[in-house]
Amino acid sequence: DTGVSQNPRHKITKRGQNVTFRCDPISEHNRLYWYRQTLGQGPEFLTYFQNEAQLEKSRLLSDRFSAERPKGSFSTLEIQRTEQGDSAMYLCASSRPGTGGKETQYFGPGTRLLVL
Amino acid sequence: AQSVAQPEDQVNVAEGNPLTVKCTYSVSGNPYLFWYVQYPNRGLQFLLKYITGDNLVKGSYGFEAEFNKSQTSFHLKKPSALVSDSALYFCAVRSRGGGSYIPTFGRGTSLIVHP
């Protein structure tokens, strides 16, 4: 169990640029989640995959945000035309198959985005 | 809708003293409840969860939490605090009633343990 990994760990970009983050879940976990965390807040749900299918999207996920998990393994989160309000920590989590809701989500270290 | 309240932004405790970090929740039906800890510039680490059964749940690093259905609470406790316990603690809830698998997190409580 190598844990959830995220790359890059830090990203500084200029307003209007596109950024892409990658998440590699724990290998046997078929569920993958993206969250956003701002200072003083808990993680806010963005989107969720089961295998390659994107099953839920938060209304926080504007049309500038897109996430993929093409082969049901790693996932990418892209933000187009970044805005200063996108500055946050982006967290990825994964969980193993199980009856819904009680499984434990394991989090990666996060990608901290700063939009100048 | 489900929600979590962590009424204290910060908890201060002396090393060796017992600690409590409070959490109350609101959910339709019965809950699944979770506690996570976050160290600076790190992701969340799972501490413990309540699914069913015994109301006292034991977790990692000597932490435990007590589920109280009548008070809709799930307070995190530890008998003797360590300086290394200083971190941000998050409570999360999910309804057992089906639908979304997504938990709702509280805003977090900063625990500071003084030497």
Side-chain angles (χ1 to χ4, degrees), chain B residues 67-78:
Chain B
F67 171 61
N68 187 317
K69 187 173 183 178
S70 63
Q71 297 185 3
T72 62
S73 68
F74 189 56
H75 301 332
L76 181 71
K77 300 181 180 184
K78 186 174 182 181

Side-chain angles (χ1 to χ4, degrees), chain B residues 39-106:
Chain B
Y39 296 97
N41 298 312
R42 304 286 298 275
L44 278 67
Q45 294 179 31
F46 170 73
L47 280 178
L48 52 81
K49 65 181 178 183
Y50 170 79
I51 302 299
T52 188
D54 194 348
N55 289 343
L56 185 64
V57 179
K58 293 187 183 297
S60 306
Y61 312 119
F63 284 93
E64 58 188 27
E66 186 167 12
F67 171 61
N68 187 317
K69 187 173 183 178
S70 63
Q71 297 185 3
T72 62
S73 68
F74 189 56
H75 301 332
L76 181 71
K77 300 181 180 184
K78 186 174 182 181
S80 178
L82 300 173
V83 172
S84 57
D85 293 329
S86 299
L88 202 51
Y89 290 81
F90 291 96
C91 181
V93 67
R94 185 206 169 268
S95 170
R96 210 184 291 188
S100 172
Y101 294 142
I102 309 306
T104 298
F105 287 83

Side-chain angles (χ1 to χ4, degrees), chain A residues 9 31 33 35 37 40-43 45 48 50 56 89 91 100-109 112, chain B residues 32 34 36 38 41-46 49 51 88 90 94-95 99-108:
Chain A
R9 294 291 308 276
R31 291 182 180 147
Y33 312 78
Y35 292 86
Q37 185 181 21
Q41 300 293 326
F45 169 71
Y48 149 62
Q50 181 157 303
E56 278 194 58
M89 174 82 90
L91 296 167
K102 66 180 179 183
E103 68 269 20
T104 299
Q105 294 184 14
Y106 293 90
F107 283 79
R112 184 170 294 282
Chain B
Y32 296 128
F34 305 83
Y36 286 85
Q38 186 176 34
N41 298 312
R42 304 286 298 275
L44 278 67
Q45 294 179 31
F46 170 73
K49 65 181 178 183
I51 302 299
L88 202 51
F90 291 96
R94 185 206 169 268
S95 170
S100 172
Y101 294 142
I102 309 306
T104 298
F105 287 83
R107 292 183 55 177

Side-chain angles (χ1 to χ4, degrees), chain A residues 10-78:
Chain A
H10 303 274
K11 179 70 178 180
I12 300 174
T13 191
K14 293 182 179 179
R15 185 164 48 97
Q17 297 295 304
N18 299 343
V19 294
T20 300
F21 309 141
R22 175 175 170 131
C23 171
D24 287 89
I26 295 170
S27 59
E28 68 270 24
H29 288 186
N30 74 335
R31 291 182 180 147
L32 187 149
Y33 312 78
W34 285 100
Y35 292 86
R36 182 175 69 185
Q37 185 181 21
T38 53
L39 197 62
Q41 300 293 326
E44 298 174 292
F45 169 71
L46 293 178
T47 190
Y48 149 62
F49 291 85
Q50 181 157 303
N51 299 313
E52 65 275 9
Q54 188 173 18
L55 297 186
E56 278 194 58
K57 291 169 62 173
S58 163
R59 54 188 168 83
L60 289 176
L61 209 68
S62 76
D63 56 5
R64 295 185 299 105
F65 287 69
S66 63
E68 295 183 343
R69 195 183 183 196
K71 298 182 180 179
S73 57
F74 73 91
S75 175
T76 57
L77 177 69
E78 180 183 17

